[in-house]
């Protein structure tokens, strides 16, 4: 779903939300809560600060962010994809502030970014999926990136070879346990809903994809150990079938046939986390037209429950999960496209969630992550917004609360 399509559907709401933003008032509050950019006299998060990335452009589906210590200074840094043609690199200063260091041009339609050490030099590298290609960005060890190789589907003369298909979403893991990072990506072609696995050689180069047929119109792919066997599995959310597909690792370098799980219609972001603390990964979806967040409880065998809905939330596009208030229990943050706010739902440790506060963030949020930027052990909340081309940071102040 493009920004243009969203704005047409939400035009009346957008007009209201923009008016509310000028007065510092947030809309779409759950019943029983008060208005305002944050609720209560002692909020978990400070109000947001926006840091310009530039080049992000309007999005097609949710874009993503990645984070790591890119320049080796012991402070967390951030990479944010820009649909125009690349990824913005922002260095953290250790206090929660960011500064733009670089915008690396890849190709048109950059939609997802993931981080891993691809060549074994100890520095985190990046993989970016574009509409017709996959770009591998190597780190020089000081946080400066360059496109080392492009695996493409078009007639780019500089590509290493063709991936086939239309990449949209990427996950990195050692799927075959050979010690090297591999790439998993979504594609609409050559088979509808195809998933490609490109095996890494440990030097930053990848094989031609091994294909699996799953889903019809997927917007993301995530890697995680869904059945607790020590091997990374895959999960995708599929707009066409309003579901989440799961592919378990067969522990022989491949994957078992996909399983489908019902999701609220439609979902636009997907995260994996142990939300209830039972040791099993759960699936959490942002249900953009369902005015809610859906939590699918994992059983540790690769199966997930029907969604438990949390909300209400108006046009939720992205989510982040973390222990925001320091009580040892995971909480959920929801990025609303209209109005552009982050809503915080506190977990009770018994699969229940209570709305506590919300904060204004950049216009048109497309990605959200929980990241400890200032090293105090409590995660900040980051959101990437395409309309305002910035990354918003909400500094966690729960350690200051009484």
């Amino acid at each position: 779903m493009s920004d243009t399509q969203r704005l047409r559907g939400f035009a009346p709401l957008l007009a209201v939300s923009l008016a509310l933003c000028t007065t510092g008032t947030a809309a779409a509050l759950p019943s029983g809560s008060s208005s305002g950019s944050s609720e209560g006299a002692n909020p978990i998060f400070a109000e947001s600060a926006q840091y310009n990335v530039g080049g992000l452009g309007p999005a097609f589906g949710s874009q993503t962010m990645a984070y790591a210590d890119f320049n080796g200074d012991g402070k967390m840094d951030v990479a944010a994809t820009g649909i125009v043609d690349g990824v913005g690199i922002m260095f953290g200063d250790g206090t929660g502030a960011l500064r733009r260091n670089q915008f690396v041009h890849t190709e048109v339609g950059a939609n997802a970014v993931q981080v891993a050490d691809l060549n074994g030099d100890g520095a985190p590298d990046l993989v970016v999926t574009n509409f017709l290609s996959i770009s591998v960005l190597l780190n020089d060890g000081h946080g400066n990136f360059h496109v080392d190789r492009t695996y493409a589907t078009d007639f780019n003369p500089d590509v290493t070879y063709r991936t086939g298909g239309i990449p949209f979403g990427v996950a990195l893991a050692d799927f075959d346990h050979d010690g090297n990072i591999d790439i998993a990506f979504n594609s609409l072609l050559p088979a509808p809903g195809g998933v490609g696995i490109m095996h890494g050689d440990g030097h930053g180069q990848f094989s031609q994809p091994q294909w699996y047929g799953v889903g019809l119109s997927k917007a993301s792919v995530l890697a995680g150990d869904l059945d607790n066997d020590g091997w990374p599995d895959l999960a995708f959310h599929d707009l066409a079938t309003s579901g989440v597909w799961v592919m378990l690792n067969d522990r022989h370098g491949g994957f078992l046939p996909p399983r489908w799980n019902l999701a609220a219609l439609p979902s636009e972001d997907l995260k994996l986390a142990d939300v209830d603390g039972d040791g099993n990964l759960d699936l959490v979806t942002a249900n953009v037209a369902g005015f809610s967040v859906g939590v699918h409880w994992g059983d540790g065998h690769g199966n997930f429950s029907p969604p438990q809905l949390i909300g209400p939330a108006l046009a939720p596009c992205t989510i982040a999960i973390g222990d925001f208030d320091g009580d040892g229990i995971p909480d959920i943050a929801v990025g609303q496209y209209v109005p552009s706010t982050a809503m915080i739902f506190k977990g009770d440790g018994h699969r229940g969630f209570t709305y506590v506060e919300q904060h204004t963030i950049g216009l048109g949020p497309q990605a959200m992550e929980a990241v400890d930027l200032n090293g105090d052990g409590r995660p900040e909340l980051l959101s990437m917004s395409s309309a305002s081309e910035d990354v918003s940071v909400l500094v966690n102040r729960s350690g200051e609360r009484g």
Side-chain angles (χ1 to χ4, degrees), residues 46-53 90 96-100 340-342 359-363 381-385 388-395:
E47 293 307 317
S48 68
Q50 280 81 42
Y51 301 92
N52 180 260
V53 181
M90 308 189 75
L98 300 172
R99 67 174 176 85
R100 171 174 159 153
S340 295
T341 60
H359 301 265
T360 299
I361 53 179
L363 293 175
L381 184 61
L382 278 66
S383 63
M384 185 271 287
S385 297
S388 51
E389 298 192 344
D390 58 30
V391 171
S392 296
V393 176
L394 283 74
V395 172

Side-chain angles (χ1 to χ4, degrees), residues 7-364:
L7 291 176
R8 287 173 181 167
F10 298 136
L13 296 173
L14 181 61
V16 173
S17 68
L18 290 176
L20 291 172
C21 285
T22 61
T23 63
T25 302
L29 298 180
S31 59
S33 63
S34 61
S35 63
S37 57
S38 61
E39 273 59 62
N42 200 14
I44 297 171
F45 291 101
E47 293 307 317
S48 68
Q50 280 81 42
Y51 301 92
N52 180 260
V53 181
L56 296 181
F60 183 91
S62 289
Q63 293 162 269
T64 62
M65 290 186 291
Y67 54 90
D69 179 8
F70 295 141
N71 58 357
D73 65 354
K75 301 164 187 175
M76 202 62 70
D77 310 308
V78 177
T81 51
I83 208 72
V84 175
D85 71 344
V87 59
I89 310 299
M90 308 189 75
F91 286 167
D93 68 357
T95 70
L98 300 172
R99 67 174 176 85
R100 171 174 159 153
N101 179 66
Q102 186 184 17
F103 193 93
V104 185
H105 297 281
T106 57
E107 289 192 342
V108 172
N111 55 73
V113 58
Q114 289 293 329
V115 60
D117 181 5
L118 303 178
N119 56 4
D121 65 356
D125 308 302
L126 299 172
V127 175
V128 176
T129 49
N130 313 294
F131 282 162
L132 291 173
S133 63
I134 296 175
S135 300
V136 173
L137 283 63
L138 296 185
N139 188 340
D140 68 357
H142 302 286
N144 301 304
F145 292 86
H146 70 277
V147 177
D148 183 68
R149 282 176 173 79
T150 299
Y151 303 89
T153 63
D154 60 7
F155 296 100
N156 183 335
D158 300 321
V159 303
T160 302
Y161 51 74
R162 316 283 175 213
T163 62
I166 303 174
F168 195 82
V170 63
L172 304 179
D174 181 6
F175 295 116
D176 55 5
H177 275 199
D178 67 351
N180 303 322
I181 295 295
D182 309 310
I183 294 174
F185 67 95
N186 288 333
S187 186
L188 297 177
L189 297 171
V195 171
I197 307 296
M198 300 170 62
H199 293 288
D201 67 357
H203 302 286
Q205 300 181 39
F206 296 87
S207 68
Q208 296 194 39
Q210 177 183 0
W211 289 101
Y212 298 86
V214 55
L216 295 174
S217 178
K218 299 174 304 304
S220 64
V221 54
L222 297 175
D225 186 3
L226 305 181
D227 56 359
N228 297 323
D229 65 353
W231 291 72
D233 310 302
L234 293 171
F236 323 82
H237 77 273
D238 188 7
L239 299 177
T241 61
S242 185
V244 176
W245 292 90
V246 170
M247 289 173 55
L248 297 182
N249 198 310
D250 68 3
R251 291 177 281 185
H252 298 288
F255 291 87
L256 300 175
R259 304 175 181 179
W260 181 81
N261 298 266
L262 175 67
L265 175 70
S267 57
E268 190 156 321
D269 193 14
L270 176 68
K271 293 289 170 63
L272 285 171
D274 180 7
V275 181
D276 57 357
D278 66 353
N280 303 321
L281 288 177
D282 308 303
L283 291 166
V284 186
T285 61
N287 310 318
V288 64
F291 304 103
S292 62
V293 170
V295 181
H296 304 251
W297 305 106
D299 67 357
H301 300 285
N303 304 305
F304 295 89
S305 71
Q308 173 184 327
L309 300 183
I310 300 169
L314 183 61
C317 285
T318 185
I319 44 182
I321 302 160
D323 178 12
F324 299 134
D325 57 0
D327 65 355
I329 299 171
D331 310 304
I332 295 177
V334 183
Q336 298 185 117
Y337 195 83
V338 178
S340 295
T341 60
M343 303 180 70
I344 311 301
F345 292 87
K346 175 179 166 55
D348 63 8
H350 302 284
R351 297 189 173 183
F353 295 86
T354 302
Y355 168 84
V356 292
E357 66 192 57
Q358 70 178 298
H359 301 265
T360 299
I361 53 179
L363 293 175

Side-chain angles (χ1 to χ4, degrees), residues 67 75-76 96 370-382:
Y67 54 90
K75 301 164 187 175
M76 202 62 70
V371 186
D372 182 7
L373 290 180
N374 58 14
D376 66 354
R378 298 174 186 264
E380 275 63 59
L381 184 61
L382 278 66

